[in-house]
Coordinates of all heavy atoms in Angstrom, one line a residue:
M1 N -44.6 1.8 14.5 CA -43.8 2.3 13.4 C -42.7 3.2 13.8 O -41.7 3.2 13.2 CB -44.8 3.0 12.4 CG -44.0 3.3 11.1 SD -44.9 4.0 9.8 CE -45.7 2.6 9.1
T2 N -42.9 4.0 14.9 CA -41.9 4.9 15.4 C -40.6 4.1 15.8 O -39.5 4.5 15.6 CB -42.4 5.7 16.5 OG1 -43.6 6.4 16.1 CG2 -41.4 6.7 17.0
M3 N -40.9 2.9 16.4 CA -39.8 2.1 16.9 C -38.9 1.6 15.7 O -37.7 1.7 15.8 CB -40.3 0.9 17.7 CG -39.2 0.1 18.3 SD -38.2 1.2 19.4 CE -38.0 0.2 20.8
S4 N -39.5 1.2 14.6 CA -38.7 0.7 13.5 C -37.9 1.8 12.8 O -36.8 1.6 12.4 CB -39.6 0.0 12.5 OG -40.5 0.9 11.9
K5 N -38.5 3.0 12.8 CA -37.7 4.2 12.3 C -36.5 4.5 13.1 O -35.4 4.7 12.6 CB -38.6 5.4 12.2 CG -39.6 5.4 11.0 CD -40.3 6.7 10.9 CE -41.3 6.7 9.8 NZ -42.0 7.9 9.6
L6 N -36.7 4.4 14.4 CA -35.6 4.7 15.3 C -34.5 3.6 15.1 O -33.3 3.9 15.1 CB -36.0 4.8 16.8 CG -36.8 6.0 17.1 CD1 -37.3 5.9 18.6 CD2 -36.0 7.3 16.9
T7 N -34.9 2.4 15.0 CA -33.9 1.3 14.8 C -33.2 1.5 13.5 O -32.0 1.3 13.4 CB -34.6 -0.1 14.8 OG1 -35.4 -0.2 16.1 CG2 -33.7 -1.2 14.7
G8 N -33.9 1.9 12.4 CA -33.3 2.1 11.1 C -32.3 3.3 11.2 O -31.2 3.3 10.6
I9 N -32.7 4.3 11.9 CA -31.8 5.5 12.1 C -30.6 5.1 12.8 O -29.5 5.5 12.4 CB -32.6 6.7 12.7 CG1 -33.7 7.2 11.8 CG2 -31.6 7.8 13.2 CD1 -34.7 8.1 12.5
R10 N -30.7 4.3 13.9 CA -29.6 3.9 14.6 C -28.7 3.0 13.8 O -27.4 3.1 13.8 CB -30.0 3.1 15.9 CG -30.6 4.0 16.9 CD -30.9 3.3 18.2 NE -31.6 4.1 19.1 CZ -32.7 3.8 19.8 NH1 -33.2 2.5 19.7 NH2 -33.2 4.6 20.7
A11 N -29.3 2.2 13.0 CA -28.5 1.3 12.1 C -27.7 2.1 11.1 O -26.5 1.9 10.8 CB -29.4 0.3 11.4
L12 N -28.3 3.1 10.5 CA -27.6 4.0 9.6 C -26.5 4.8 10.3 O -25.4 4.9 9.7 CB -28.6 5.0 8.9 CG -29.5 4.4 7.9 CD1 -30.6 5.4 7.4 CD2 -28.7 3.9 6.7
A13 N -26.7 5.3 11.5 CA -25.7 6.0 12.2 C -24.5 5.1 12.5 O -23.4 5.5 12.4 CB -26.3 6.5 13.5
K14 N -24.8 3.8 12.9 CA -23.8 2.9 13.2 C -22.9 2.6 11.9 O -21.7 2.6 12.0 CB -24.4 1.6 13.7 CG -23.3 0.5 14.1 CD -23.9 -0.7 14.6 CE -22.8 -1.8 14.9 NZ -23.4 -3.0 15.3
L15 N -23.6 2.4 10.8 CA -22.9 2.1 9.5 C -22.0 3.3 9.1 O -20.9 3.2 8.7 CB -23.9 1.8 8.4 CG -24.5 0.5 8.5 CD1 -25.7 0.4 7.4 CD2 -23.5 -0.6 8.2
R16 N -22.6 4.5 9.4 CA -21.8 5.7 9.1 C -20.5 5.8 9.9 O -19.5 6.1 9.4 CB -22.7 7.0 9.3 CG -22.4 8.1 8.4 CD -23.4 9.2 8.5 NE -24.8 8.6 8.3 CZ -25.8 9.0 9.1 NH1 -25.7 9.9 10.0 NH2 -27.0 8.4 9.0
D17 N -20.7 5.5 11.2 CA -19.5 5.5 12.1 C -18.5 4.4 11.7 O -17.3 4.7 11.7 CB -20.0 5.2 13.5 CG -20.8 6.4 14.1 OD1 -20.7 7.5 13.6 OD2 -21.5 6.2 15.1
E18 N -19.0 3.3 11.3 CA -18.1 2.2 10.9 C -17.4 2.6 9.6 O -16.2 2.3 9.4 CB -18.9 0.9 10.6 CG -19.3 0.3 11.9 CD -20.3 -0.9 11.7 OE1 -20.6 -1.2 10.5 OE2 -20.6 -1.6 12.7
R19 N -18.1 3.3 8.7 CA -17.5 3.7 7.4 C -16.4 4.7 7.7 O -15.3 4.7 7.1 CB -18.5 4.3 6.5 CG -17.9 4.7 5.1 CD -19.0 5.3 4.2 NE -20.1 4.3 4.0 CZ -21.4 4.6 4.3 NH1 -21.7 5.8 4.8 NH2 -22.3 3.8 4.1
V20 N -16.6 5.7 8.6 CA -15.6 6.6 9.0 C -14.4 5.9 9.6 O -13.2 6.3 9.2 CB -16.2 7.7 10.0 CG1 -15.1 8.6 10.6 CG2 -17.2 8.6 9.3
A21 N -14.6 5.0 10.4 CA -13.5 4.2 11.1 C -12.7 3.4 10.0 O -11.5 3.4 10.0 CB -14.0 3.3 12.1
F22 N -13.4 2.8 9.1 CA -12.8 2.1 8.0 C -11.9 3.0 7.1 O -10.8 2.7 6.8 CB -13.8 1.4 7.1 CG -13.3 0.7 5.9 CD1 -12.6 -0.5 6.0 CD2 -13.3 1.3 4.7 CE1 -12.0 -1.1 4.9 CE2 -12.8 0.7 3.5 CZ -12.1 -0.5 3.7
E23 N -12.5 4.2 6.8 CA -11.7 5.1 5.9 C -10.5 5.6 6.6 O -9.4 5.8 6.0 CB -12.6 6.3 5.5 CG -13.7 5.8 4.5 CD -14.7 6.9 4.2 OE1 -14.7 8.0 4.9 OE2 -15.6 6.7 3.3
A24 N -10.5 5.7 7.9 CA -9.4 6.1 8.7 C -8.3 5.0 8.7 O -7.1 5.3 8.5 CB -9.7 6.5 10.1
R25 N -8.8 3.8 8.9 CA -7.8 2.6 8.8 C -7.2 2.5 7.4 O -6.0 2.2 7.2 CB -8.5 1.3 9.2 CG -8.8 1.2 10.7 CD -9.2 -0.2 11.1 NE -10.1 -0.9 10.2 CZ -11.5 -0.9 10.3 NH1 -12.0 -0.2 11.3 NH2 -12.2 -1.6 9.5
E26 N -8.0 2.7 6.4 CA -7.5 2.7 5.0 C -6.5 3.8 4.7 O -5.4 3.5 4.2 CB -8.7 2.8 4.0 CG -8.2 2.7 2.6 CD -9.3 2.9 1.5 OE1 -10.3 3.5 1.9 OE2 -9.1 2.5 0.4
A27 N -6.7 5.0 5.2 CA -5.8 6.1 5.0 C -4.5 5.7 5.7 O -3.4 6.0 5.2 CB -6.4 7.4 5.5
K28 N -4.6 5.2 6.9 CA -3.3 4.8 7.7 C -2.6 3.7 6.9 O -1.3 3.8 6.8 CB -3.7 4.3 9.1 CG -2.5 3.9 9.9 CD -2.9 3.4 11.3 CE -1.7 3.0 12.0 NZ -2.0 2.4 13.3
A29 N -3.3 2.7 6.4 CA -2.6 1.7 5.6 C -2.0 2.2 4.4 O -0.9 1.8 4.0 CB -3.6 0.6 5.3
R30 N -2.6 3.2 3.7 CA -2.1 3.8 2.5 C -0.8 4.5 2.8 O 0.2 4.5 2.1 CB -3.1 4.7 1.8 CG -4.2 3.9 1.1 CD -5.1 4.9 0.4 NE -6.2 4.2 -0.3 CZ -6.1 3.7 -1.5 NH1 -5.0 3.9 -2.2 NH2 -7.1 3.1 -2.0
R31 N -0.8 5.3 3.9 CA 0.4 6.0 4.3 C 1.5 5.0 4.6 O 2.7 5.2 4.2 CB 0.1 6.9 5.6 CG -0.6 8.2 5.3 CD -0.6 9.1 6.5 NE -1.2 8.5 7.7 CZ -2.5 8.5 7.9 NH1 -3.3 9.1 7.0 NH2 -3.1 8.0 9.0
E32 N 1.2 3.9 5.4 CA 2.3 3.0 5.7 C 2.8 2.3 4.4 O 4.0 2.1 4.3 CB 1.7 1.9 6.6 CG 1.5 2.4 8.0 CD 0.7 1.5 8.9 OE1 0.3 0.4 8.5 OE2 0.5 1.8 10.1
A33 N 2.0 2.0 3.5 CA 2.4 1.4 2.2 C 3.3 2.4 1.4 O 4.3 2.0 0.9 CB 1.2 1.0 1.3
A34 N 2.9 3.7 1.4 CA 3.8 4.7 0.8 C 5.1 4.8 1.4 O 6.2 4.9 0.7 CB 3.1 6.0 0.8
I35 N 5.2 4.7 2.8 CA 6.4 4.8 3.5 C 7.3 3.6 3.1 O 8.5 3.7 2.8 CB 6.2 4.9 5.0 CG1 5.6 6.3 5.3 CG2 7.5 4.6 5.8 CD1 5.1 6.4 6.7
E36 N 6.7 2.4 3.1 CA 7.4 1.2 2.7 C 8.0 1.3 1.3 O 9.1 0.9 1.1 CB 6.5 -0.1 2.8 CG 6.2 -0.4 4.3 CD 5.2 -1.5 4.4 OE1 4.9 -2.2 3.4 OE2 4.6 -1.7 5.5
L37 N 7.2 1.8 0.4 CA 7.6 1.9 -1.0 C 8.8 2.9 -1.1 O 9.7 2.7 -1.8 CB 6.4 2.4 -1.9 CG 6.5 2.1 -3.3 CD1 6.8 0.7 -3.6 CD2 5.2 2.5 -4.0
G38 N 8.6 4.0 -0.3 CA 9.7 5.0 -0.3 C 11.0 4.4 0.3 O 12.1 4.7 -0.2
D39 N 10.9 3.6 1.3 CA 12.1 2.9 1.9 C 12.8 2.0 0.8 O 14.0 2.0 0.7 CB 11.7 2.0 3.1 CG 11.3 2.8 4.3 OD1 11.6 4.0 4.4 OD2 10.7 2.2 5.2
I40 N 11.9 1.3 0.0 CA 12.5 0.5 -1.0 C 13.2 1.4 -2.1 O 14.3 1.0 -2.5 CB 11.4 -0.4 -1.7 CG1 10.9 -1.4 -0.7 CG2 11.9 -1.0 -3.0 CD1 9.6 -2.1 -1.2
V41 N 12.6 2.5 -2.4 CA 13.3 3.4 -3.4 C 14.6 3.9 -2.9 O 15.6 3.8 -3.6 CB 12.3 4.5 -3.8 CG1 13.0 5.6 -4.6 CG2 11.1 4.0 -4.6
L42 N 14.6 4.3 -1.7 CA 15.8 4.9 -1.1 C 16.9 3.8 -0.9 O 18.1 4.0 -1.1 CB 15.6 5.5 0.3 CG 14.7 6.8 0.2 CD1 14.4 7.3 1.6 CD2 15.4 7.9 -0.7
A43 N 16.5 2.6 -0.5 CA 17.4 1.5 -0.4 C 18.1 1.0 -1.7 O 19.2 0.5 -1.7 CB 16.7 0.3 0.3
T44 N 17.4 1.2 -2.8 CA 17.9 0.8 -4.1 C 18.8 1.8 -4.7 O 19.5 1.5 -5.7 CB 16.8 0.5 -5.1 OG1 16.1 1.7 -5.3 CG2 15.9 -0.6 -4.6
G45 N 18.8 3.0 -4.2 CA 19.5 4.1 -4.8 C 18.8 4.6 -6.1 O 19.4 5.3 -6.9
A46 N 17.5 4.2 -6.2 CA 16.8 4.6 -7.4 C 16.5 6.1 -7.5 O 16.1 6.5 -8.5 CB 15.4 3.8 -7.4
D47 N 16.8 6.8 -6.4 CA 16.5 8.2 -6.5 C 17.5 8.9 -7.5 O 17.3 10.1 -7.8 CB 16.6 8.9 -5.1 CG 17.9 8.5 -4.4 OD1 18.5 7.4 -4.6 OD2 18.4 9.4 -3.6
V48 N 18.5 8.2 -8.0 CA 19.4 8.8 -8.9 C 19.1 8.4 -10.4 O 19.7 8.8 -11.3 CB 20.9 8.4 -8.6 CG1 21.3 9.0 -7.3 CG2 21.1 6.9 -8.7
L49 N 18.1 7.5 -10.5 CA 17.6 7.1 -11.8 C 16.8 8.2 -12.5 O 16.2 9.0 -11.8 CB 16.7 5.9 -11.7 CG 17.4 4.5 -11.3 CD1 16.3 3.5 -11.1 CD2 18.4 4.1 -12.3
P50 N 16.8 8.2 -13.8 CA 15.9 9.1 -14.5 C 14.5 8.8 -14.1 O 14.1 7.7 -13.8 CB 16.1 8.8 -16.0 CG 17.5 8.1 -16.1 CD 17.6 7.4 -14.8
L51 N 13.7 9.8 -14.1 CA 12.3 9.7 -13.6 C 11.5 8.6 -14.3 O 10.8 7.9 -13.7 CB 11.6 11.1 -13.6 CG 10.2 11.1 -13.0 CD1 10.3 10.7 -11.5 CD2 9.6 12.5 -13.1
A52 N 11.6 8.6 -15.6 CA 10.9 7.6 -16.4 C 11.3 6.2 -16.0 O 10.4 5.3 -15.9 CB 11.1 7.8 -17.9
D53 N 12.6 5.9 -15.8 CA 13.0 4.6 -15.4 C 12.5 4.3 -14.0 O 12.2 3.1 -13.7 CB 14.6 4.5 -15.4 CG 15.1 4.5 -16.8 OD1 14.3 4.3 -17.8 OD2 16.3 4.8 -17.0
L54 N 12.6 5.2 -13.1 CA 12.1 5.0 -11.7 C 10.6 4.7 -11.7 O 10.2 3.7 -11.1 CB 12.3 6.3 -10.9 CG 11.8 6.2 -9.4 CD1 12.5 5.1 -8.7 CD2 12.1 7.5 -8.7
K55 N 9.8 5.4 -12.5 CA 8.4 5.1 -12.6 C 8.1 3.7 -13.1 O 7.4 3.0 -12.5 CB 7.7 6.1 -13.5 CG 6.2 5.9 -13.6 CD 5.6 7.0 -14.5 CE 4.1 6.7 -14.6 NZ 3.4 7.6 -15.5
R56 N 8.8 3.3 -14.2 CA 8.7 2.0 -14.7 C 9.0 0.9 -13.7 O 8.3 -0.1 -13.6 CB 9.5 1.9 -16.0 CG 9.1 0.8 -16.9 CD 9.9 0.8 -18.2 NE 9.9 2.2 -18.8 CZ 11.0 2.9 -19.1 NH1 12.1 2.5 -18.9 NH2 11.0 4.1 -19.5
A57 N 10.1 1.1 -13.0 CA 10.6 0.1 -12.0 C 9.6 0.0 -10.9 O 9.3 -1.1 -10.4 CB 12.0 0.5 -11.5
L58 N 9.1 1.1 -10.4 CA 8.1 1.1 -9.3 C 6.8 0.4 -9.8 O 6.2 -0.4 -9.0 CB 7.8 2.5 -8.8 CG 8.9 3.1 -8.0 CD1 8.5 4.6 -7.7 CD2 9.1 2.4 -6.7
V59 N 6.3 0.7 -10.9 CA 5.1 0.1 -11.5 C 5.3 -1.4 -11.6 O 4.4 -2.2 -11.2 CB 4.7 0.7 -12.8 CG1 3.6 -0.1 -13.5 CG2 4.2 2.2 -12.6
A60 N 6.4 -1.8 -12.1 CA 6.7 -3.2 -12.2 C 6.8 -3.9 -10.9 O 6.3 -5.0 -10.7 CB 8.0 -3.4 -13.0
A61 N 7.5 -3.3 -9.9 CA 7.6 -3.9 -8.6 C 6.3 -4.0 -7.9 O 6.0 -5.0 -7.3 CB 8.6 -3.0 -7.8
V62 N 5.4 -3.0 -8.0 CA 4.1 -3.0 -7.4 C 3.3 -4.1 -8.0 O 2.6 -4.9 -7.4 CB 3.4 -1.7 -7.4 CG1 2.0 -1.8 -7.0 CG2 4.2 -0.7 -6.5
A63 N 3.3 -4.2 -9.3 CA 2.5 -5.2 -10.1 C 2.9 -6.6 -9.7 O 2.1 -7.5 -9.5 CB 2.6 -4.9 -11.6
A64 N 4.2 -6.8 -9.6 CA 4.8 -8.1 -9.3 C 4.4 -8.5 -7.8 O 4.0 -9.6 -7.5 CB 6.3 -8.1 -9.5
H65 N 4.5 -7.5 -7.0 CA 4.1 -7.7 -5.5 C 2.7 -8.0 -5.4 O 2.3 -8.9 -4.6 CB 4.5 -6.5 -4.7 CG 4.3 -6.7 -3.3 ND1 5.1 -7.5 -2.5 CD2 3.4 -6.2 -2.4 CE1 4.7 -7.5 -1.2 NE2 3.7 -6.7 -1.2
A66 N 1.8 -7.4 -6.1 CA 0.4 -7.5 -6.0 C -0.1 -8.9 -6.5 O -1.1 -9.4 -6.1 CB -0.3 -6.4 -6.7
T67 N 0.6 -9.5 -7.4 CA 0.2 -10.7 -8.0 C 0.7 -11.9 -7.2 O 0.2 -13.0 -7.5 CB 0.6 -10.9 -9.5 OG1 2.1 -10.8 -9.5 CG2 0.0 -9.8 -10.4
K68 N 1.6 -11.7 -6.3 CA 2.0 -12.9 -5.5 C 1.0 -13.3 -4.4 O 0.3 -12.4 -3.9 CB 3.3 -12.5 -4.7 CG 4.5 -12.2 -5.6 CD 5.7 -11.8 -4.8 CE 6.9 -11.5 -5.6 NZ 8.0 -11.0 -4.8
P69 N 0.9 -14.6 -4.2 CA 0.0 -15.0 -3.1 C 0.5 -14.5 -1.8 O 1.7 -14.3 -1.6 CB 0.0 -16.5 -3.2 CG 1.1 -16.9 -4.1 CD 1.5 -15.7 -4.9
P70 N -0.4 -14.2 -0.8 CA 0.1 -13.6 0.5 C 1.2 -14.3 1.1 O 2.1 -13.8 1.7 CB -1.2 -13.6 1.3 CG -2.3 -13.6 0.3 CD -1.8 -14.3 -0.9
S71 N 1.2 -15.7 1.1 CA 2.2 -16.4 1.8 C 3.6 -16.3 1.2 O 4.6 -16.5 1.8 CB 1.8 -17.9 1.8 OG 1.7 -18.4 0.5
A72 N 3.6 -15.9 -0.1 CA 4.9 -15.7 -0.8 C 5.5 -14.3 -0.7 O 6.6 -14.1 -1.1 CB 4.8 -16.2 -2.2
R73 N 4.7 -13.4 -0.2 CA 5.1 -12.0 -0.1 C 6.3 -11.8 0.8 O 6.4 -12.6 1.8 CB 4.0 -11.1 0.2 CG 3.0 -11.0 -0.9 CD 1.9 -10.0 -0.6 NE 1.0 -9.9 -1.8 CZ -0.1 -9.4 -1.8 NH1 -0.6 -8.8 -0.7 NH2 -0.9 -9.3 -2.8
L74 N 7.1 -10.9 0.6 CA 8.3 -10.6 1.4 C 7.8 -9.9 2.7 O 6.9 -9.2 2.7 CB 9.3 -9.8 0.7 CG 9.9 -10.4 -0.6 CD1 10.7 -9.3 -1.3 CD2 10.7 -11.6 -0.3
T75 N 8.6 -10.1 3.7 CA 8.4 -9.3 4.9 C 9.0 -8.0 4.7 O 9.8 -7.8 3.9 CB 9.0 -10.0 6.2 OG1 10.4 -10.1 6.0 CG2 8.4 -11.4 6.4
R76 N 8.6 -7.0 5.5 CA 9.2 -5.7 5.4 C 10.7 -5.6 5.6 O 11.4 -4.9 4.9 CB 8.5 -4.7 6.4 CG 9.0 -3.3 6.2 CD 8.2 -2.3 7.0 NE 8.6 -1.0 6.6 CZ 8.6 0.1 7.4 NH1 8.0 0.0 8.5 NH2 9.0 1.2 7.0
S77 N 11.2 -6.4 6.5 CA 12.6 -6.4 6.7 C 13.5 -6.9 5.6 O 14.6 -6.4 5.3 CB 13.0 -7.1 8.0 OG 12.6 -8.5 7.8
S78 N 13.0 -7.9 4.9 CA 13.7 -8.4 3.7 C 13.3 -7.8 2.4 O 14.0 -7.9 1.4 CB 13.5 -9.9 3.6 OG 12.2 -10.2 3.3
A79 N 12.2 -7.0 2.4 CA 11.8 -6.5 1.1 C 12.7 -5.5 0.5 O 13.0 -5.5 -0.6 CB 10.4 -5.8 1.3
A80 N 13.3 -4.6 1.4 CA 14.2 -3.5 0.9 C 15.4 -4.1 0.2 O 15.8 -3.7 -0.9 CB 14.5 -2.6 2.0
S81 N 16.1 -5.1 0.8 CA 17.3 -5.6 0.3 C 17.0 -6.4 -1.0 O 17.7 -6.3 -2.0 CB 18.0 -6.5 1.3 OG 17.2 -7.5 1.7
D82 N 16.0 -7.3 -1.0 CA 15.6 -8.1 -2.2 C 15.2 -7.2 -3.3 O 15.6 -7.4 -4.5 CB 14.6 -9.1 -1.8 CG 15.1 -10.2 -0.9 OD1 16.3 -10.3 -0.7 OD2 14.2 -10.9 -0.4
D83 N 14.3 -6.3 -3.1 CA 13.8 -5.4 -4.1 C 14.9 -4.5 -4.6 O 15.0 -4.2 -5.8 CB 12.6 -4.5 -3.6 CG 11.4 -5.3 -3.4 OD1 11.3 -6.5 -3.9 OD2 10.5 -4.8 -2.7
A84 N 15.8 -4.1 -3.8 CA 17.0 -3.3 -4.2 C 17.8 -4.0 -5.2 O 18.2 -3.5 -6.2 CB 17.8 -2.8 -3.0
S85 N 18.1 -5.3 -4.9 CA 19.0 -6.0 -5.8 C 18.2 -6.3 -7.1 O 18.8 -6.2 -8.2 CB 19.4 -7.3 -5.2 OG 18.3 -8.1 -4.8
Q86 N 16.9 -6.5 -7.1 CA 16.2 -6.7 -8.3 C 16.1 -5.5 -9.2 O 16.3 -5.6 -10.4 CB 14.7 -7.1 -8.0 CG 13.9 -7.4 -9.2 CD 14.4 -8.5 -10.1 OE1 14.8 -9.5 -9.6 NE2 14.4 -8.3 -11.4
L87 N 15.9 -4.3 -8.6 CA 15.9 -3.1 -9.3 C 17.3 -2.8 -9.9 O 17.4 -2.3 -11.0 CB 15.5 -1.9 -8.4 CG 14.0 -1.8 -8.2 CD1 13.7 -0.7 -7.2 CD2 13.2 -1.6 -9.5
R88 N 18.4 -3.1 -9.2 CA 19.7 -2.9 -9.7 C 19.9 -3.8 -10.9 O 20.5 -3.4 -11.9 CB 20.7 -3.2 -8.6 CG 20.9 -2.1 -7.6 CD 22.1 -2.3 -6.7 NE 22.0 -1.4 -5.6 CZ 21.6 -1.7 -4.4 NH1 21.3 -3.0 -4.1 NH2 21.5 -0.8 -3.4
E89 N 19.5 -5.0 -10.8 CA 19.6 -6.0 -12.0 C 18.9 -5.4 -13.2 O 19.3 -5.5 -14.3 CB 19.1 -7.3 -11.6 CG 20.0 -8.0 -10.6 CD 19.4 -9.4 -10.1 OE1 18.4 -9.8 -10.7 OE2 19.9 -9.9 -9.1
D90 N 17.6 -5.0 -12.9 CA 16.8 -4.5 -14.0 C 17.4 -3.3 -14.7 O 17.2 -3.1 -15.9 CB 15.4 -4.1 -13.5 CG 14.6 -5.3 -13.1 OD1 15.0 -6.5 -13.4 OD2 13.6 -5.1 -12.4
H91 N 18.2 -2.5 -14.0 CA 18.7 -1.3 -14.6 C 20.2 -1.4 -14.9 O 20.9 -0.4 -15.2 CB 18.5 -0.1 -13.7 CG 17.0 0.2 -13.6 ND1 16.3 0.8 -14.6 CD2 16.1 0.0 -12.6 CE1 15.0 0.9 -14.3 NE2 14.9 0.4 -13.1
G92 N 20.8 -2.6 -14.7 CA 22.2 -2.8 -15.1 C 23.2 -2.2 -14.1 O 24.4 -2.1 -14.4
D93 N 22.8 -1.8 -12.9 CA 23.7 -1.3 -11.9 C 24.5 -2.4 -11.3 O 23.9 -3.5 -11.0 CB 22.9 -0.5 -10.8 CG 22.2 0.7 -11.2 OD1 22.6 1.2 -12.4 OD2 21.4 1.2 -10.5
Q94 N 25.7 -2.2 -11.1 CA 26.6 -3.2 -10.5 C 27.1 -2.8 -9.2 O 28.2 -2.2 -9.1 CB 27.8 -3.5 -11.5 CG 27.4 -4.0 -12.9 CD 26.6 -5.3 -12.8 OE1 26.9 -6.2 -12.1 NE2 25.6 -5.4 -13.7
T95 N 26.3 -2.9 -8.1 CA 26.8 -2.5 -6.8 C 26.7 -3.6 -5.8 O 26.2 -4.6 -6.0 CB 25.9 -1.3 -6.2 OG1 24.6 -1.7 -6.2 CG2 26.1 -0.1 -7.0

């Protein structure tokens, strides 16, 4: 019985370690996503929009991006220019 307890304890310790590693990877991915979103905002010139319009545009962009199948999603290099033109169209900017 002692052996099974030790195996269970080791299994729990391993799971705990994996959870910590996963949470670290998730935090890194969230930071990277926030940076990408910030790049899009800056590329669009959206920082000069009223806060309510900016929030609405960001929510719409994130929702649209999240519903696309992975193969249709934009790459990071093209996302800023395409999203910038879409946000300008949505807000009537002519640049």
Side-chain angles (χ1 to χ4, degrees):
M1 187 177 280
T2 305
M3 186 57 135
S4 65
K5 284 185 178 181
L6 289 178
T7 305
I9 291 170
R10 287 184 187 137
L12 286 172
K14 182 179 176 184
L15 286 172
R16 213 170 310 136
D17 292 343
E18 289 173 356
R19 185 178 303 121
V20 168
F22 174 79
E23 288 171 355
R25 287 194 318 269
E26 181 183 22
K28 180 181 178 186
R30 286 181 180 275
R31 279 191 302 275
E32 289 172 358
I35 290 168
E36 289 174 14
L37 202 53
D39 288 344
I40 292 169
V41 168
L42 293 175
T44 63
D47 52 329
V48 297
L49 291 174
L51 187 57
D53 290 342
L54 178 58
K55 180 180 178 182
R56 198 173 312 121
L58 286 174
V59 168
V62 169
H65 185 72
T67 59
K68 292 179 185 177
S71 61
R73 291 186 178 166
L74 299 173
T75 62
R76 183 172 185 204
S77 61
S78 64
S81 61
D82 291 346
D83 290 345
S85 59
Q86 180 61 41
L87 282 174
R88 284 190 194 103
E89 290 173 15
D90 291 345
H91 293 288
D93 294 343
Q94 303 297 322
T95 56

